Amino acid sequence: MADSSLPIVRDVAGLRAQISAWRGQGLRVGLVPTMGALHDGHLSLVRAAKEKCDRAVATLFVNPKQFAPNEDFERYPRDEAGDGAMLASAGCDLLYAPERAIMYPDGFATSVIVTSVSTPLEGEFRPHFFGGVATVVTKLLLQALPDAAFFGEKDYQQLQVIKRMAGDLDIPVAIEGCATVRESDGLAMSSRNAYLSADERRIAARLNHILHDAIKAVHAGEPIAQAEAEAARHLSAAGFTSVDYVAIRDAQTLQPVTDLSRPARILAAAWLGKTRLIDNMAV
């Protein structure tokens, strides 16, 4: 069970009843979708929701549709009580924690597929992922119909997919991106950081610094393709097991760029042992 000071609902009717009551009082509602295993990055989204809205609702659902068969669905960290206590401390007003049968009842046969922005980068290495994300986020937005929903920029491509999905489907919810929250050494906070050994954790901090170095190189005149290749080489030299990609892309479309005439983003995914880390930052 979640922390007793935080109200919890587990079905759509209960969620809508509470949000309807708030709306009847003229209150704005912000939604923070999560899969649990919370850290301060998630709590920063709750705090952002409370700054821009009168009430904050967090969701907790480990979504099976965004995990491939060989990924970590079964071992993904789960601690509803701990998560509930953290959410309460951040000022969250309601936790929506549905069971799988609520989200995907027998006979469920619908998928939401966002093309274009979902195709490169993560789409190449985890082709199942964004379909699962878009489907579950569509459901959560329609179940709650908040005024705004808050997502971290740490999952930058996911944020762009959700913005495109909400816009294309005319879902009347403002999608708010919030800055990545980092550890003191620069590592982006992630639930999967808990998988890292002590040695891997020390290496992981190099990801942030190597991306910063690539940005500096590009601004100093180094060709983008060369900066990408050098960053990947430095990650391998730092001890990363393998590098899926380091890419400087258009900040909105995530298509390749040859110069910095438009806003751009550097994005990377790399492995440390069995743990896959992603990061990004503005160029």
Side-chain angles (χ1 to χ4, degrees), residues 15-31 53-55 57 141-149 172-174:
L15 176 68
R16 287 178 173 168
Q18 179 59 81
I19 291 176
S20 177
W22 285 332
R23 288 194 184 285
Q25 301 170 40
L27 302 177
R28 285 175 49 83
V29 179
L31 188 74
C53 301
D54 302 295
R55 296 291 184 267
V57 178
L141 295 181
L142 294 176
Q143 287 170 347
L145 281 179
D147 295 281
V173 177

Side-chain angles (χ1 to χ4, degrees), residues 2-257:
D3 183 88
S4 59
S5 66
L6 179 65
I8 181 170
V9 293
R10 298 189 184 277
D11 59 27
V12 179
L15 176 68
R16 287 178 173 168
Q18 179 59 81
I19 291 176
S20 177
W22 285 332
R23 288 194 184 285
Q25 301 170 40
L27 302 177
R28 285 175 49 83
V29 179
L31 188 74
V32 180
T34 87
M35 292 205 305
L38 303 185
H39 49 69
D40 198 54
H42 297 103
L43 301 188
S44 73
L45 301 179
V46 175
R47 291 189 284 265
K50 289 303 291 276
E51 288 176 4
K52 295 194 173 187
C53 301
D54 302 295
R55 296 291 184 267
V57 178
T59 74
L60 194 166
F61 180 67
V62 183
N63 178 33
K65 288 191 175 294
Q66 66 193 66
F67 291 80
N70 63 333
E71 292 185 337
D72 58 342
F73 175 72
E74 294 299 335
R75 70 185 184 110
Y76 194 84
R78 291 165 171 84
D79 179 12
E80 184 179 296
D83 291 339
M86 293 177 69
L87 289 167
S89 72
C92 186
D93 298 290
L94 181 70
L95 174 61
Y96 174 50
E99 299 294 333
R100 182 169 180 168
I102 296 294
M103 297 302 291
Y104 303 120
D106 288 344
F108 187 88
T110 299
S111 293
V112 178
I113 303 298
V114 181
T115 58
S116 182
V117 71
S118 69
T119 303
L121 305 175
E122 290 296 288
E124 297 175 18
F125 288 89
R126 303 181 70 199
H128 60 284
F129 178 68
F130 286 126
V133 168
T135 300
V136 78
V137 172
T138 297
K139 285 182 66 72
L140 291 171
L141 295 181
L142 294 176
Q143 287 170 347
L145 281 179
D147 295 281
F150 296 79
F151 299 87
E153 287 187 349
K154 185 253 180 182
D155 297 292
Y156 187 81
Q157 187 173 7
Q158 172 179 281
L159 174 61
Q160 302 312 305
V161 169
I162 291 168
K163 285 182 175 180
R164 171 56 61 188
M165 174 270 296
D168 286 353
L169 297 182
D170 300 313
I171 298 175
V173 177
I175 305 301
E176 302 279 355
C178 300
T180 301
V181 177
R182 299 182 179 276
E183 304 285 358
S184 58
D185 60 4
L187 179 65
M189 288 189 178
S190 170
S191 301
R192 290 187 170 95
N193 291 350
Y195 297 158
L196 298 170
S197 69
D199 286 342
E200 290 170 342
R201 176 62 186 81
R202 285 190 288 272
I203 296 169
R206 292 290 301 145
L207 177 56
N208 171 63
H209 300 294
I210 288 170
L211 295 186
H212 271 295
D213 290 343
I215 292 171
K216 291 178 183 176
V218 169
H219 281 287
E222 186 169 290
I224 285 176
Q226 182 177 333
E228 294 169 338
E230 282 292 298
R233 185 179 66 79
H234 287 309
L235 286 171
S236 297
F240 282 83
T241 311
S242 63
V243 179
D244 283 352
Y245 59 81
V246 177
I248 296 175
R249 298 295 176 94
D250 181 280
Q252 183 174 2
T253 67
L254 299 184
Q255 292 302 305
V257 296

